[in-house]
């Protein structure tokens, strides 16, 4: 299984998932050089053989990365993020967009884009409810099952 963390920044959630799930391959996608250097150093220091760091924008990597799961945190509004993440996912791939209090409004605003992309099952999921003081709000959807 391959997971792409779009706009990985400081490595959240990509590095954490790579540590917790050593059986999956993780690609940290980040356009900024200083952040990719930081991520490469973290990968080296943590000895994470299941992680690759790719410098570039999602638009530049369409078709090069075909992930089963794409995660994103604080990248863009959901309407734009859906387009970016869909370009990195395999057909039928899962997109997990970590959002805050605006998740419901963003999802409603993004519904036309999601329909145009052929995305299915768009919903809001609360992760960590009952376990964390501040659970994560995640928008989850699947990409189009076949190539357009």
């Amino acid at each position: 299984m391959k997971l792409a963390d779009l706009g990985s920044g400081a490595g959240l959630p990509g590095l954490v998932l790579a540590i917790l799930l050593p059986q999956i391959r993780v690609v940290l996608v980040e356009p900024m050089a200083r952040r990719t250097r930081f991520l490469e150093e973290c990968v080296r220091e943590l000895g994470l053989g299941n992680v690759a760091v790719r410098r570039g924008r999602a638009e530049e990597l369409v078709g090069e990365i075909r992930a089963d799961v794409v995660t994103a945190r604080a990248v863009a509004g959901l309407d734009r993020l859906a387009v970016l993440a869909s370009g990195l996912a395999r057909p039928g791939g899962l997109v997990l967009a970590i959002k805050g209090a605006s998740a419901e409004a963003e999802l409603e605003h993004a519904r036309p884009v999601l329909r145009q992309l052929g995305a299915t099952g768009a919903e809001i999921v609360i992760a960590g409810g009952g376990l964390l003081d501040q659970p994560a709000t995640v928008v989850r959807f699947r990409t189009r099952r076949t190539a357009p």
Side-chain angles (χ1 to χ4, degrees), residues 57-136:
R57 302 178 60 80
E59 306 94 289
E60 301 163 351
L61 300 172
V62 171
E64 289 183 39
I65 297 173
R66 304 296 283 176
D68 300 290
V69 178
V70 177
T71 60
R73 183 184 147 278
V75 172
L78 187 60
D79 54 344
R80 175 145 166 70
L81 176 61
V83 174
L84 298 172
S86 292
L88 300 181
R90 67 163 175 76
L94 182 64
V95 176
L96 302 171
I98 302 168
K99 294 292 183 177
S102 66
E104 195 168 317
E106 283 195 53
L107 178 56
E108 286 310 309
H109 179 74
R111 285 206 188 273
V113 172
L114 292 168
R115 274 193 297 278
Q116 184 178 11
L117 290 170
T120 59
E123 63 181 341
I124 295 174
V125 178
I126 304 300
L131 298 173
L132 303 172
D133 290 336
Q134 293 183 324

Side-chain angles (χ1 to χ4, degrees), residues 51 72 128:
V51 179

